[in-house]
Amino acid sequence: MSDPNRVLQWNRPRTEVRLDERVRMADQIRGRYDFSDSAVLKAMRNVPRHWFVPSAQQVSAYADSPLPIGHGQTISQPFIVAYMTSVLPLDPNSRVLEIGTGSGYQAAVLNEFTPHVFTIEIVRPLGERAIRTFQEHGYHTIRVKIGDGYRGWPEYAPFDAIIVTCAPDKIPAPLLEQLKPGGRMMIPVGGRWSLQELVLVDKTAADKISKRSVMPVRFVPLVREKE
Ligand code: SAH
């Protein structure tokens, strides 16, 4: 028997280790950037960022900056993770697709809001390391695919939310197609050496697309499979 009012339960791993640093990090996001989304700030306090940071970067795991994660890639600055999360429509029934798994940290933050997190990484060793991190710490519901995220993940589409953490020159058409009517996408757009803009894309119930630039950003480029 399925009860429509049933509250979905899923694993959201926790630790007290370095909690004081996470509290400070969340306070900084609120204070320095005038960011007040309390649900997202709570998620930032709950997710142990140090689980996703390589050993050489452990001292800086809670610093207000991006960090190298190997293979020329970076884990985004905490404020950017918080901001991108806060504009997405997320509840326990939302399906969210992330392009650019990297360390897995952003996916773990999304997992605080919904068990339906799908994430794609093109660099195999990074994808495999993220899978191991998820297994080790008990993120049982996050689904990872190793491949070119430009094409999205049609088997699980449509998505209520799509978050892209690497920058293409223009918005990939397959991702627009895989966005649900009423859904939202957050994507950095721009060239490798030029200014990138973080773009908020809305798809209306009538399948109309509207785009708005929200801030200048700097992400690693989205690369294609056969580049
Ligand atoms: N969200 C990550 C940050 C990732 S950095 C985190 O929380 O740690 C961006 C990532 O996008 C890199 O790991 C890079 O390898 C990946 N990437 C680049 N092009 C891609 C593509 N076409 N498909 C999937 N991932 C891609």
Side-chain angles (χ1 to χ4, degrees):
M1 214 175 68
S2 82
D3 171 4
N5 297 317
R6 173 175 66 107
V7 177
L8 255 174
Q9 297 291 334
W10 72 98
N11 213 26
R12 282 173 284 186
R14 297 283 183 268
T15 179
E16 297 288 300
V17 174
R18 304 184 72 170
L19 177 59
D20 52 333
E21 291 173 84
R22 284 194 292 287
V23 169
R24 220 175 306 136
M25 178 183 77
D27 286 348
Q28 275 178 2
I29 296 171
R30 189 178 331 130
R32 286 186 192 164
Y33 304 97
D34 200 20
F35 179 89
S36 61
D37 185 323
S38 56
V40 172
L41 288 168
K42 185 174 162 201
M44 302 299 286
R45 282 191 296 269
N46 280 336
V47 179
R49 187 167 159 98
H50 68 276
W51 286 350
F52 300 90
V53 167
S55 41
Q57 307 298 330
Q58 279 298 317
V59 286
S60 312
Y62 293 98
D64 181 21
S65 64
L67 294 171
I69 55 172
H71 304 272
Q73 306 302 328
T74 54
I75 173 172
S76 308
Q77 182 188 8
F79 165 65
I80 295 293
V81 173
Y83 179 76
M84 291 178 83
T85 305
S86 73
V87 298
L88 297 176
L90 296 173
D91 68 45
N93 293 309
S94 325
R95 239 170 217 244
V96 53
L97 174 67
E98 178 192 29
I99 309 305
T101 314
S103 67
Y105 176 68
Q106 173 75 67
V109 171
L110 296 169
N111 178 73
E112 292 290 306
F113 296 89
T114 171
H116 311 290
V117 177
F118 302 81
T119 180
I120 306 178
E121 172 57 53
I122 200 165
V123 177
R124 176 167 290 277
L126 284 177
E128 286 172 349
R129 188 171 69 198
I131 291 169
R132 281 197 303 277
T133 307
F134 293 147
Q135 280 168 350
E136 182 188 344
H137 296 291
Y139 289 90
H140 301 311
T141 54
I142 299 176
R143 266 158 285 194
V144 184
K145 169 165 144 171
I146 295 172
D148 186 355
Y150 183 94
R151 295 193 289 262
W153 202 337
E155 294 86 343
Y156 291 107
F159 299 96
D160 301 277
I162 299 180
I163 175 172
V164 184
T165 66
C166 43
D169 296 335
K170 53 190 181 63
I171 301 175
L175 298 184
L176 284 174
E177 275 158 32
Q178 291 171 35
L179 194 59
K180 204 180 268 185
R184 268 197 159 173
M185 169 158 47
M186 256 304 195
I187 179 167
V189 183
R192 236 160 246 238
W193 310 112
S194 55
L195 194 69
Q196 298 165 0
E197 286 286 341
L198 193 56
V199 178
L200 174 59
V201 181
D202 279 288
K203 189 187 252 189
T204 67
D207 262 14
K208 286 245 159 47
I209 298 291
S210 76
K211 295 177 220 171
R212 180 156 70 83
S213 283
V214 293
M215 66 171 91
V217 284
R218 187 152 184 171
F219 278 82
V220 299
L222 181 145
V223 295
R224 297 303 315 277
E225 214 140 46
K226 289 198 182 65
E227 216 176 31

